[in-house]
Every structure is written in structure tokens, then in C-alpha cells.
Amino acid sequence: MKTGLWCVRKLSLIFLTLSILIPLSFTKAQVSAPGGDPKQPIDEAYTAKIKKYTTEPYFTSPLVDYLPASKTVPTPEAALGDIAGAPGILPYAEQVYKYMRLLESATPRVKVYSIGTTEEGREMIAVAISSEENMKRLEENRALLEKLADPRTIKLDDAEADKIAAEAAPVYYITGTIHSPETGAPTALMELAYRLAVDESPYISDIRNHMITLITPVVEVDGRDRMVDLYKWHLAHPKEFYPPLIYWGKYVGHDNNRDAMGVTLDLTKNVLNTFVEWKSQVLHDLHESVPYLYDNTVGDGPYNAWVDPILTNEWEMIGWRNVADMTKFGMPGVFTHGEFDTWSPGYLMFIAAMHNGISRLYETFGNGGADTRERTLEPEEYARTWYKQNPPLPKVLWSQRDNNNYEETGLLTSLHYFSEDRVMFLKNFYLKSKRSIRKPYEEGPAAYVLPGDDPRPTLQADLLRVMQRQHVEISRATSPFTVTLPAKKKVKQEKTAAAKKPEEKAEAKAETVTCEFPAGSYIIRMDQPYSRIADALLDYQYWSPDDPQKTPYDDTGWTFGELFNVQVVRVNDVKVLDVAMERVTIVHAPGGAHASGTVFAINNNAEPALATLRYKLKDATFDAAEDAFEAGGRKFDRGTFLIKNVDRSTLETTTRDLGLQAYALATAPEVRTHPIRAARIAYVHTWLSTQTEGWWRIAFDKLGIPYDYMSTQEIARIPDLNAKYDVILFPPVGWNLPATTIVDGYPTSWGNPLPWMNTPLTPNLVGKNDSTPDMRPGLGWDGVEKLQEFVDRGGVLLTATDTSNFAISLGLANGVSVTSPRKMKIVGAVVETQLVDLASPIAYGYGDKLAAYCDQGPIFSLSSIVGARQRGRLGPEMNERPTGRGRKSDQDFVVGRPEVTPPEQPESEDWQNPTVTDEEKYNNPRVIPPDLRARVILRYADAKDLLVSGLMEGGDEIAEHPAVIDVPVGRGHLVLFSVNPVYRGETEGTYSFVLNTIMNFDSLNADRKPDER
Ligand SMILES: [Zn+2]
């Protein structure tokens, strides 16, 4: 066996020499056998340790079972003190960078680039590795790839593209440890970088000579450093439980891999920019949660509808080839396909899929640290299936080195395959880009238009900025224009008010309408290289309830125009591309102060920038108009801000920055008003999970709205909450926990305290968040009492989804209950809602209806009687007539007695407080007085209109039920959300429900009509 291998290697050397004379492709197969170069010495000590730390001989491969020696280039041992994957060794990002920079200074084959910083100011890097020749001509090569990435530059000339594809070196971008508890990638990538730079075997030099490997060894740098802290704490306290990683980045945990749509996080921006600027072909993201290597490149259906089929074919080729290569090494547990659908474009890897590259993701098997552990799998994990012919073993001793062996072997075979077929992959890259540019003519749409007269220009600008972060080109019409739209979308057109009075074309059979858009309308042309991401984000999604995929991996709908409450019109008419327009590089809603006077009016269209203004001009007097009014020849809506005691120039600059239009009025208008205040906010999180609240936090920080961030433990310790705060925000925890878990926290009757504090051993743990000597205690019953007291005494408590469940199940909300769904399935979808009470300050600025994000409710139901049985929908319909005379709608009769007309049965809608009958009222202390009954602000639309985008099954269970409720409690209010209004930077359209509640905290009863029913 050994001799045979040697023979192959020896042969390959001969071919290598020959390859100078004959075309490379001819020798490819022969020169590329995996394994070291016999002429290159190996690092014996390092290689011995690889063997020692690998727990079974079949958990390695001929690609990584040795380390080539170098006289000049340091091995990872220089930075780690042991080899990559050694037990007990988990380097901080800084140590990883130090090593990469050691490589850079030791060899011209490596170069390190700084690609930006994280929210906490830590550096992110990308390491480029290739041959000396390629490294010398990086810029030249980039210019070649640029032509493939934007075929407009070569006039879509296929022959020119062929020439470039044969000449250029592709860029394969690998990203490690975005998920902080998945800890193995950094050491694997350190060693991979060394191998790519040093190994002279034909297999590796093939890669080096023909490709540029780009590596970001740590994507979530803030989280990495916290995770290493925790691991060190664990090593110092081996017998104790160590704290769970409650914070990863400053804002979110696992969801950092769901940000590739909104691009809200710095890590997403930095990776996206690097991918695009390098004109990369692949983004390969490393994760660790499945034994032993799940290449979910192939994934499962439904595939994202907007990706090019050339890409889905590439997924199949690459994924199955990966399995084939590793199967030949005899490594068990390598598979592709699996259960991961590739519907949502929110994953980091999808940056590539949406920018004409190839998205890839590995799940290898991590131990959540560098301990060697005995691992026992679930039966379904070790079962043999059609796509898992050599499944993982039921029980093994598993080491970080094993994990590193799999990661590196997978990556090396992938790189090698890519280098082998690089000409095809580069040609595909060109074709995908070309087809993106040809989109208006081949498949449509031609463009998306965002009308220049949208009533929410700041939200429109925010949506356009998402497009810009996605590197989408934006244009603006320089004069009014008309386009033809399909007429069947009439309902939608009315809703989006896209055009000025669509007129039916006289000659066309009412199948199309002509729409006019004003000058200044934004046009997102689809004849550009990154049209697919714009199309995917702005279009509608439909996931059939009958889809064979029953467990969507993530959100099923995301239509950005809907969630931003901004008008977006999909235009198939290619004439739109001929409209006079100019490219826009800076999107900014126009703002400023107009006319003269001392009272300034700013119309309220539910734009979050209004709240920013309120907090920026803290000392000015703000009032809200409780009715619409006319002044200075302009119409103003209910909720309009009236600002006094403000310096004009300050107002002028602030409104200009924010994109808000202030109109000076000579005198205050004759209209009912109440104060709009910069409420003092307590923002509460648990020590159970900070994932979902993190999206609220980043939204508040970006809007510049200050708050005191505190845990449930802290809130219970504040003696007088009302003295310090006006509003307590308790955003979703995200785990759909029972209320008692929020109260109890982790068990404290056993185990050890779980500190989350900065110490010399854990210097990075706290970061810019919160700390506690023991994460275990929850809110406690004292805390519950504190919250109740706060609201009773006039405070406002705002909750959403699971924290609404929490408040309701503790009995804080009189008359509100939660119904368990029976068949309902709403998986991260966009739903339609209707405003029920437009006079409530919470609704200021909204129209009759809008879209919202919903993930399975909760389903709120109302009762006017405390502790009353819920109106269920189970069992027979009530009030059906019994068997008797007449037709169904007739009354029965009684023989021998004159007919009596019974009183009308009270009726109420699903979102209303049910009418209380006189019989129910009699001597009933449980009847809630009309002025203390829940005030419903927003409800879910009727079942037939409920689904906007995504998957919905059994939507009738939640249809028409309340979505936002204002419940009077004592002198204060509990404001309950069933939709999640602040989510992943994708839902700016619903932010104002939260912001309105905050700014109107002491006037929420404005225009409240007591529920006398
Ligand atoms: Zn992961």
C-alpha cells in the first residue's frame, strides 16, 4: 500500500516536469493524488502530535495526517504552544491574527487584510493565500474577475469571457466561527493557511498555483473572545458548570447568521464587502453542530426561488463531489443533502448565492470547546440513509483535532476540485452575472419602482440603503414617467397607491393599466449584476402548506417593501429602462424647516425618525395633534408633531439630517393636543437568552433612543421603578418559555453560581452589555410584584410575543387570554393587519392596514369578564336554531300560544371585547368596567387576506384576533404585541407602534371610547 502510494507520487513528479511542455489539463489527474511530497521533509514532532490527538485512524486523511516542514515559515505551534486542534487550546482572535501575520512576514504567498471592525471595535481580517506569481498580480487578477463579475464591462462578450476564464485565478472565500460556541474553525484555518503556503505536494500546489484562497478565520470576533474566556473559566473550574454563552456579539447570537438580508450587523457588512470587492466565486461558511461533516451545500427543497439554476447545479456538483472525495479516504459520517432547505437568503453564505457566486456551508462536529469528549449520538444521527451511506458511529471519543481533520480535509478537497474545474466555474460565474443583467428581457421583472411621492420618505431611504449595502445600483427618474402594469394587481395597486389614478388602456382588454410615477421616483433596474438580491428581497414569497418540506429551517417570508411600510412596484414593462434617470450614490430623504413662525408642525406618517427627533431635541416642547387639521395651507394628519421652544437653526439641521419636513406656523393650530415626551426607558433582558431582544437593542441604538439596559434580576432590586422610569420595555426572550421560567431562571437548588463578569481570567466576557455574579436567578416573584406595582402606579409595560404570554399568564392583563393553536402554522411570515383604533396614540401615523412579521402568534382572545371561559371555536356553533317549523332563518313556534319575538343575540367580532349581557352583569364582580377593558389597536386581517408572504396554514385561528392591545391596569398600561414589531432589521414599518407607545406613555388614553357593550 505504502509503496504503491509512493509510486504514484514518484510518477506524479515525472508528470510535473512534463507539464511544463504539455497542456496542464492533460496531466491534472495524474499530478493531483492527495498526500505529501516525498521530496519535502515533514515536521516529525508536529505530525506525531496530529496522530496522538486524532482519536481513530479513520478520523483523518492523507491530506492532513502529516505536516510539511519549512525552514522559514512558522507552524501554528509558534502561536498556540501546541498544534492546531490540540486538547485544551482555544486561541483568542488576536492570537489567530498574530499567527496569520507571522505567515505574512515569513512568506510572499500570504497577505493579511483588515476588513473592518465589529460593534465592539475588534478587527476582522481576511487572509489571502496563493502562489508568489498570483500574489504579485492580485490587482491584475482582480481586474480580470471584475470583467466576469460585471459583464457590461465586456459588452456581454462570451468569447472575451472565455479568454478571461482560462486565464484568471478564482477566489475561494472561507469564513470561520460565526457561531461562537462552534469553536474549531480558527485552528483548522491556521493550519490550512500553513499547508496552502508551504506544502509542495502536487495536490496542494495545484490549488496554490491556480486559486486565491481567502480566509476570515473568525467572523464573530466579539463572541469568539467571550467564548475563549468561558473556556478558560471552564479549564480553571473543571468540576463546575460553566456559564452558557449568553452574549456572542454585542447584539445577537445565533441570528448573526440570519442577517444577510437586512445587513444590520458589522460582521455581515464586512464579509459582504470583502466577498464583492474580491469578486469571489465561493463563500464557504464553517459551522459545527452535526456529526461528522454535513456539507449542506446541496441542502433540501424548497430552493430559494430567485437563485440561478446554474447555481443549484453547482451546489449538486460540488456537494456530491465533496462526499465522493472524502468517502474515498474512508472517513465516516460525511454527507450532503440533509434537511436544510435553502429558501431563506438570510444566511451569511447566501451573500454568495445572491451575488452570482456559490454558497456553501459545513456543519462539522464540534465539542463546544477543546476538550476531548466521549460523544453519543441519537439513532437518527447514526442511521444509514440514501444520502448517508457511511454514517457516523453511535459512540466515539471525539477530539478537536478530529474536527480540524474533517474541516481541513473537506476544504482541501473542495479547493482542489474547484481548481481542477476552475475554468468552468469562472465561466459559470460570468454566465450567472450575465443572466442577472439580462433579467429584464429573459425572465423579468424589468425594475422595481419606489414612487417619489411615498408618504414615508425616511423609511423609503432606509430600504434603499439596505439595497446599497447589498451593492445594488439605484437610479432616480429625472422626470415623470408612465409604465404598463398588469391590471389584475389592482387590489395591490390601491393598497400601495403606487400610481396616480391608474387608467385602463382603452385598446388593451383591461389586462393592463398605465401608471404614472413622479420625477424623483427611485428605479432599481434589473439589468445589473446584483439584480437577484434586489428581486429576492422586494418580491413576495409563497411557501405551499403542501410542500413536502414540513420543517422550514427559518423564516418563510420577508417582502421588504411590505415590512418597511414603503411602496414598491414590480414592473415587467421593459420600457421603464428607457426612462430618463441618473445613478444615485447617496440616498437621503429631503428634510429641513420651511416658512416662518415659532410653532413647527411635522406630519406623522409613522416614521421612526420622529422618535429620534424627539430624543435629540430633549428640551423643546413637543405636542401631538389629536385630530387632523389644516394650517398654513397644508393638511396635517392626526398625530402630527407640534414643536415649540426650539431654536430654529437647531431644528433646521436636525430635521435635515433626519429627512423630516418641519413647517413653521404663525400660531399654534386650533386642535386638541397632548404632550409628546422623551420617556425614560428601562429595557429588560433575561439571563436565559438575549438573542431576540438584541434586534430591538440594535434598532434603538441606531435610532439614538436612550434606555437603561438591565436584567430581570436588576429590575427586582430597584426600590421605586416609577421614580426612575416611565416605560419598561420587555422585548421577546425568543425561546417561547413558560412564564415560570422567566420568573425562576435557572435552577438554584443545586449546582454552582454561573458568573457573567469580567475577571482577569475572563477579561472579555461583559463587553458592552450587562454583568451578574450569578446568571441563574430569574425575575423572581418580587420582580413580578414590582412590575405590577409599576403599571398600577401609572407606568407603561410593553411586551411582545413570548413576554406578552408571560404578562398574560401571570394575570397582569385583565380580560386577555392566549389560545393555543391547533393546526395553525405561521413560520416567520409576513401577515396583513388592520388598524382598529386609529385614534389611539399608538396608531399615530398609520393607515388602515399594513404588513407585519408574525411567527406563530400568540393568539390573543378578549373577554369582558375576568376569569371567564374563553370563546372557543371547538364544538358546535352557538345560537344555531333547533329543529322545528319553518326554514332555517325562520323562528320556531309553540302550539297554542301566541308568537314571542326573542331579543337580539349580542354579536361581537374576534378582535372585540365580547358584549356583556344583562344576565351576565347581574351581581357579577368579575365584569371589567368599560373604561378598564382592553383597547385593541391592531388586529390580524380576515383569513382570506391574512397571508402576505411565506407559509401559512390554519391562519383562520389567528385571523381577526388582536395583534396589538393596550390594556389599562390601575393608572398605567400594559401594551401587548402578538406580532414582533422589531425584528432582524427587516421590520421598520412596525417600529412606530413601539415608539408611539413610548412617546405617548402618559396620554395613551387619548380619544379612548369606553367599551360600553
Ligand atoms: Zn452554526
Side-chain angles (χ1 to χ4, degrees):
M1 178 85 174
K2 256 208 164 132
T3 347
L5 246 176
W6 187 88
C7 283
V8 174
R9 283 181 200 164
K10 199 168 178 194
L11 255 179
S12 72
L13 278 174
I14 299 161
F15 274 103
L16 193 67
T17 338
L18 280 173
S19 72
I20 301 160
L21 304 170
I22 53 179
L24 192 82
S25 56
F26 180 75
T27 62
K28 208 161 50 185
Q30 290 91 336
V31 297
S32 297
D37 176 0
K39 286 213 306 197
Q40 185 176 25
I42 62 165
D43 185 325
E44 300 285 356
Y46 198 107
T47 303
K49 281 184 176 170
I50 293 176
K51 195 170 175 206
K52 183 175 161 199
Y53 300 147
T54 300
T55 59
E56 296 289 352
Y58 41 79
F59 289 156
T60 188
S61 74
L63 289 170
V64 297
D65 64 0
Y66 69 95
L67 195 81
S70 166
K71 288 205 177 81
T72 50
V73 183
T75 71
E77 208 166 0
L80 299 172
D82 204 332
I83 70 162
I89 305 265
L90 221 54
Y92 285 112
E94 197 47 49
Q95 287 171 274
V96 180
Y97 295 178
K98 217 169 164 181
Y99 176 67
M100 294 301 194
R101 289 187 161 120
L102 272 179
L103 284 181
E104 182 182 35
S105 55
T107 166
R109 293 171 174 177
V110 178
K111 224 167 149 36
V112 179
Y113 298 84
S114 206
I115 60 166
T117 53
T118 64
E119 278 82 3
E120 294 188 356
R122 291 181 180 86
E123 187 191 19
M124 287 177 69
I125 63 165
V127 184
I129 310 154
S130 197
S131 67
E132 291 90 326
E133 293 69 33
N134 286 337
M135 294 303 279
K136 263 186 242 155
R137 51 188 288 272
L138 273 184
E139 256 323 297
E140 215 177 301
N141 190 66
R142 207 199 66 86
L144 287 178
L145 294 179
E146 163 80 53
K147 291 180 184 173
L148 302 183
D150 186 354
R152 292 173 301 186
T153 56
I154 52 169
K155 300 189 170 62
L156 276 56
D157 180 343
D158 293 354
E160 176 71 12
D162 281 341
K163 261 191 265 166
I164 297 169
E167 195 188 331
V171 178
Y172 194 108
Y173 188 14
I174 302 164
T175 48
T177 201
I178 184 174
H179 282 166
S180 307
E182 300 164 14
T183 50
T187 49
L189 294 173
M190 288 163 80
E191 194 176 280
L192 183 82
Y194 175 88
R195 291 180 189 282
L196 289 173
V198 166
D199 197 321
E200 297 298 342
S201 70
Y203 194 91
I204 304 294
S205 27
D206 255 10
I207 300 172
R208 187 169 55 234
N209 292 338
H210 300 130
M211 310 248 301
I212 295 156
T213 307
L214 196 61
I215 299 173
T216 291
V218 183
V219 173
E220 176 55 276
V221 191
D222 299 334
R224 172 67 180 190
D225 286 0
R226 285 197 244 289
M227 185 63 203
V228 175
D229 274 8
L230 277 188
Y231 185 65
K232 280 164 56 193
W233 194 94
H234 157 66
L235 291 180
H237 307 83
K239 296 212 166 93
E240 294 183 36
F241 297 112
Y242 61 97
L245 193 68
I246 183 89
Y247 295 99
W248 301 11
K250 185 179 174 189
Y251 294 108
V252 299
H254 192 267
D255 261 14
N256 59 10
N257 194 33
R258 300 293 184 275
D259 186 44
M261 288 195 261
V263 197
T264 310
L265 303 173
D266 289 343
L267 63 85
T268 319
K269 262 172 249 172
N270 295 336
V271 170
L272 172 52
N273 290 342
T274 305
F275 180 84
V276 167
E277 281 156 21
W278 278 80
K279 308 298 163 199
S280 320
Q281 281 64 54
V282 184
L283 181 56
H284 191 150
D285 195 30
L286 301 179
H287 291 252
E288 296 163 29
S289 69
V290 180
Y292 301 128
L293 192 156
Y294 170 32
D295 178 1
N296 77 10
T297 300
V298 171
D300 197 358
Y303 278 0
N304 179 285
W306 293 265
V307 297
D308 193 314
I310 294 177
L311 168 62
T312 64
N313 297 340
E314 288 175 323
W315 284 342
E316 306 289 339
M317 285 191 285
I318 292 176
W320 292 111
R321 170 65 184 257
N322 198 144
V323 175
D325 282 349
M326 290 181 76
T327 299
K328 287 176 205 166
F329 293 142
M331 298 175 90
V334 178
F335 66 104
T336 189
H337 181 67
E339 284 158 1
F340 166 84
D341 66 75
T342 45
W343 178 246
S344 161
Y347 314 104
L348 187 83
M349 65 160 173
F350 238 73
I351 285 171
M354 289 283 125
H355 294 83
N356 303 324
I358 300 169
S359 53
R360 295 197 67 185
L361 192 150
Y362 274 177
E363 295 283 4
T364 58
F365 199 34
N367 280 351
D371 290 2
T372 301
R373 292 166 55 195
E374 195 167 69
R375 301 294 302 269
T376 310
L377 304 187
E378 298 291 327
E380 67 267 22
E381 289 178 306
Y382 57 77
R384 186 177 60 81
T385 66
W386 70 265
Y387 59 84
K388 214 191 273 184
Q389 294 289 343
N390 184 0
L393 292 110
K395 192 171 178 177
V396 292
L397 188 68
W398 188 258
S399 68
Q400 177 165 245
R401 181 66 217 184
D402 297 333
N403 183 30
N404 280 189
N405 287 342
Y406 271 77
E407 285 172 317
E408 286 187 62
T409 302
L411 288 169
L412 286 169
T413 55
S414 296
L415 288 167
H416 192 263
Y417 172 45
F418 208 81
S419 122
E420 234 174 54
D421 278 345
R422 65 186 178 282
V423 179
M424 175 197 68
F425 285 121
L426 281 176
K427 188 67 194 293
N428 281 0
F429 177 61
Y430 161 77
L431 282 176
K432 285 181 284 181
S433 306
K434 178 182 158 187
R435 283 154 61 108
S436 295
I437 291 165
R438 295 282 306 156
K439 190 173 174 57
Y441 313 101
E442 311 295 343
E443 60 190 69
Y448 283 90
V449 176
L450 284 74
D453 54 358
D454 192 296
R456 300 185 174 85
T458 62
L459 283 168
Q460 184 187 61
D462 280 353
L463 175 55
L464 289 167
R465 282 184 208 114
V466 173
M467 293 299 142
Q468 287 189 313
R469 292 199 290 275
Q470 295 281 6
H471 293 258
V472 170
E473 297 166 3
I474 295 166
S475 305
R476 203 165 189 200
T478 51
S479 49
F481 63 96
T482 55
V483 294
T484 304
L485 296 176
K488 61 178 181 196
K489 301 254 169 162
K490 217 171 219 168
V491 183
K492 282 276 179 254
Q493 280 163 21
E494 268 162 31
K495 188 181 148 204
T496 55
K500 286 171 185 160
K501 291 173 202 151
E503 298 160 15
E504 288 185 8
K505 259 190 182 173
E507 72 279 17
K509 312 151 247 162
E511 276 164 4
T512 58
V513 290
T514 307
C515 281
E516 191 186 332
F517 295 95
S521 293
Y522 288 98
I523 300 174
I524 301 174
R525 304 173 63 101
M526 291 289 108
D527 58 349
Q528 57 168 308
Y530 301 142
S531 59
R532 288 194 198 283
I533 181 65
D535 193 20
L537 295 185
L538 298 174
D539 208 347
Y540 289 78
Q541 293 78 44
Y542 180 71
W543 183 308
S544 165
D546 298 325
D547 194 281
Q549 178 66 265
K550 294 299 173 202
T551 51
Y553 201 81
D554 203 69
D555 287 341
T556 56
W558 51 79
T559 312
F560 268 56
E562 293 282 357
L563 290 177
F564 274 67
N565 202 12
V566 164
Q567 302 167 18
V568 174
V569 185
R570 187 177 195 264
V571 179
N572 274 322
D573 182 358
V574 291
K575 283 206 201 82
V576 70
L577 301 173
D578 300 329
V579 167
M581 64 179 96
E582 55 193 18
R583 273 286 297 280
V584 178
T585 49
I586 297 164
V587 177
H588 190 74
H594 310 276
S596 59
T598 50
V599 182
F600 294 90
I602 301 180
N603 210 354
N604 192 336
N605 281 311
E607 292 175 279
L610 290 167
T612 306
L613 181 76
R614 168 63 281 198
Y615 278 89
K616 274 199 178 216
L617 306 180
K618 223 171 172 329
D619 299 325
T621 308
F622 279 61
D623 288 296
E626 294 183 358
D627 298 296
F629 64 94
E630 279 191 50
R634 304 192 76 86
K635 283 184 178 172
F636 293 93
D637 299 329
R638 182 194 277 126
T640 290
F641 276 20
L642 295 166
I643 307 168
K644 282 179 288 193
N645 304 323
V646 64
D647 165 53
R648 185 181 173 115
S649 71
T650 311
L651 183 79
E652 182 117 37
T653 34
T654 318
T655 47
R656 204 179 303 129
D657 288 350
L658 293 173
L660 296 170
Q661 305 276 11
Y663 296 93
L665 307 175
T667 52
E670 293 282 318
V671 64
R672 295 181 301 149
T673 64
H674 65 251
I676 292 282
R677 301 188 210 275
R680 302 162 303 165
I681 303 169
Y683 182 118
V684 183
H685 72 88
T686 65
W687 286 107
L688 301 163
S689 172
T690 62
Q691 160 97 338
T692 312
E693 63 90 359
W695 290 117
W696 287 53
R697 212 158 9 103
I698 195 167
F700 273 65
D701 287 354
K702 284 184 189 287
L703 288 168
I705 297 172
Y707 55 87
D708 284 354
Y709 185 58
M710 66 188 71
S711 73
T712 44
Q713 295 175 359
E714 181 64 24
I715 201 113
R717 280 195 288 265
I718 296 174
D720 183 353
L721 281 168
N722 299 78
K724 288 188 79 173
Y725 302 108
D726 305 309
V727 176
I728 296 178
L729 281 187
F730 195 0
V733 176
W735 283 7
N736 242 322
L737 298 163
T740 46
T741 310
I742 292 175
V743 176
D744 294 341
Y746 283 89
T748 50
S749 321
W750 59 83
N752 51 277
L754 303 172
W756 188 269
M757 294 176 86
N758 278 1
T759 64
L761 191 63
T762 57
N764 305 290
L765 217 46
V766 176
K768 294 183 178 164
N769 292 315
D770 201 358
S771 67
T772 177
D774 188 0
M775 290 168 67
R776 295 177 303 163
L779 176 65
W781 293 102
D782 289 356
V784 174
E785 214 176 302
K786 278 281 171 59
L787 287 179
Q788 172 104 52
E789 189 185 78
F790 171 76
V791 181
D792 273 337
R793 291 167 58 189
V796 172
L797 172 61
L798 188 153
T799 60
T801 66
D802 56 6
T803 52
S804 293
N805 277 341
F806 155 83
I808 293 165
S809 59
L810 289 177
L812 299 180
N814 284 333
V816 186
S817 59
V818 173
T819 311
S820 304
R822 299 190 310 276
K823 285 181 189 155
M824 185 179 84
K825 203 168 159 188
I826 301 176
V827 185
V830 185
V831 298
E832 189 164 294
T833 60
Q834 290 200 359
L835 271 293
V836 172
D837 190 341
L838 283 160
S840 161
I842 298 172
Y844 282 171
Y846 284 105
D848 292 338
K849 52 186 181 177
L850 83 155
Y853 172 82
C854 175
D855 188 33
Q856 201 65 357
I859 306 170
F860 292 154
S861 292
L862 299 185
S863 168
S864 308
I865 304 172
V866 170
R869 244 187 89 225
Q870 270 181 32
R871 286 181 307 166
R873 283 179 159 191
L874 285 166
E877 282 291 314
M878 306 241 295
N879 307 327
E880 287 284 311
R881 65 152 291 184
T883 311
R885 74 146 283 273
R887 309 176 82 146
K888 194 182 177 199
S889 56
D890 292 335
Q891 241 188 76
D892 197 10
F893 81 137
V894 178
V895 173
R897 197 177 94 181
E899 188 176 300
V900 176
T901 308
E904 288 252 324
Q905 283 291 328
E907 274 182 18
S908 54
E909 306 287 352
D910 275 334
W911 65 88
Q912 290 174 324
N913 288 300
T915 310
V916 187
T917 62
D918 290 345
E919 289 293 315
E920 285 170 329
K921 270 183 205 152
Y922 180 72
N923 189 34
N924 191 349
R926 294 189 294 137
V927 173
I928 306 169
D931 58 344
L932 289 179
R933 287 184 199 161
R935 182 182 189 181
V936 177
I937 315 301
L938 187 75
R939 69 165 175 94
Y940 288 99
D942 299 358
K944 65 175 174 37
D945 303 321
L946 189 56
L947 177 65
V948 175
S949 267
L951 165 63
M952 177 176 297
E953 202 173 356
D956 56 316
E957 291 181 44
I958 202 168
E960 302 183 38
H961 281 253
V964 179
I965 320 177
D966 169 9
V967 189
V969 180
R971 303 208 315 269
H973 295 258
L974 178 55
V975 179
L976 304 163
F977 283 74
S978 163
V979 294
N980 185 353
V982 186
Y983 180 72
R984 290 183 178 173
E986 297 169 10
T987 61
E988 287 192 29
T990 45
Y991 284 9
S992 289
F993 287 114
V994 175
L995 302 171
N996 284 342
T997 304
I998 290 169
M999 291 186 289
N1000 295 279
F1001 73 92
D1002 56 351
S1003 301
L1004 290 180
N1005 280 337
D1007 255 323
R1008 185 175 208 282
K1009 310 265 182 299
D1011 199 333
E1012 300 287 4
R1013 294 144 47 80

